[in-house]
Amino acid sequence: MAKSKSTSLWRPGNALMALGILLLKLSARMPMPLLQFIGKALGTFVYIVFPYRKRVALINLGLCFPELSDKERRQLTYRHYQSMGMGIFEMAAAWYKPDEEILKWGQFKGIEHVEAVEESGRGILLLTAHFTTLEFYGRLFLLNRRFSCMYREPNQAILAKEMTRIRLDRMGRVIHMDEVNELIRALRSREIVWYAPDQGKKIKYSAVLPFFGVPAVTNTATGRLTRMGKAAVLPFFGYRKPDGTYHAEVFPELKDFPSDDPEADAIRINQVVEEMIRTAPDQYFWLHKRFKRRGEGYPDVYKKDSGPGTLDPGPKRDSQSSSPVSSVQSPESGNDK
């Protein structure tokens, strides 16, 4: 279980966060176009004035999209900061706007794939990834089905308290990332569990495997969890369209999953996430150091003497050993890629 943290408002950080949450609640009363405009302006401001982790984003994009020019990667990074800014207000909308407002701005597809697994009497591991729009497209799913979620508690106590309150109000179980047994129980109880394994962390079940063809620490537990929970894996993804509306879609169950090879399963999951990212590359969370702590034999690509133009990702491993999943195709987006 996560350790409890003080939520006393006498602590300056807590008081500021409480004020921030109040402002988010107030902002949720604004129309979505205005929220998106403010968020985009905020992202632009941060990119220009306080470009937090801009170098990390450029390195990640250089590794994942080597076919892009430096100018194209910088343009994509700029749009990513705008998406990050909009993501703050999309989260506010997802947390505090009424159902009818969410439905007005979002389109949801693929409920038939959920129903097919439910009819088979199994639980669902809802496979997604860390996109700036995830709170909004998660709310779209909740308007169709209740689900439980895996989560990592934020370090900020007031934010963690509010996030947990909202999740408990709308969802089934709120399962901390360390509570694997609780996850298995939920799946065996035929529940739907939101699951995003795309941010690499060195744990017992992890390996250095290709992500966009570049070695990265990768979670290899997905297949084991699916087998132990007697569940199906359904990819789920959402993004903001050029017209400001949102598209969320559940895709068909991953067939022949899991296999007898946890690493092959993990590569397949990485490939599914890659397909999601290519649909809306500006909306993926590029500020995360996806290629860190890979171990001996792999260079530290985030060292100060590295740069997007002179990256050595280390020894590569073929990521095309199997097709990711023929059922996951990019929904029509019209996004600028």
Side-chain angles (χ1 to χ4, degrees), residues 24-49:
L24 286 180
K25 289 179 179 179
L26 294 173
S27 74
R29 300 184 180 187
M30 299 178 184
M32 279 303 299
L34 181 57
L35 286 180
Q36 292 172 343
F37 175 81
I38 295 171
K40 191 172 184 178
L42 175 62
T44 301
F45 175 80
V46 172
Y47 178 86
I48 295 170
V49 178

Side-chain angles (χ1 to χ4, degrees), residues 54-71:
K54 181 165 77 172
R55 184 174 173 277
V56 170
L58 287 168
I59 289 171
N60 286 337
L61 291 171
L63 290 169
C64 295
F65 296 102
E67 69 276 14
L68 298 181
S69 67
D70 285 347
K71 180 180 179 181

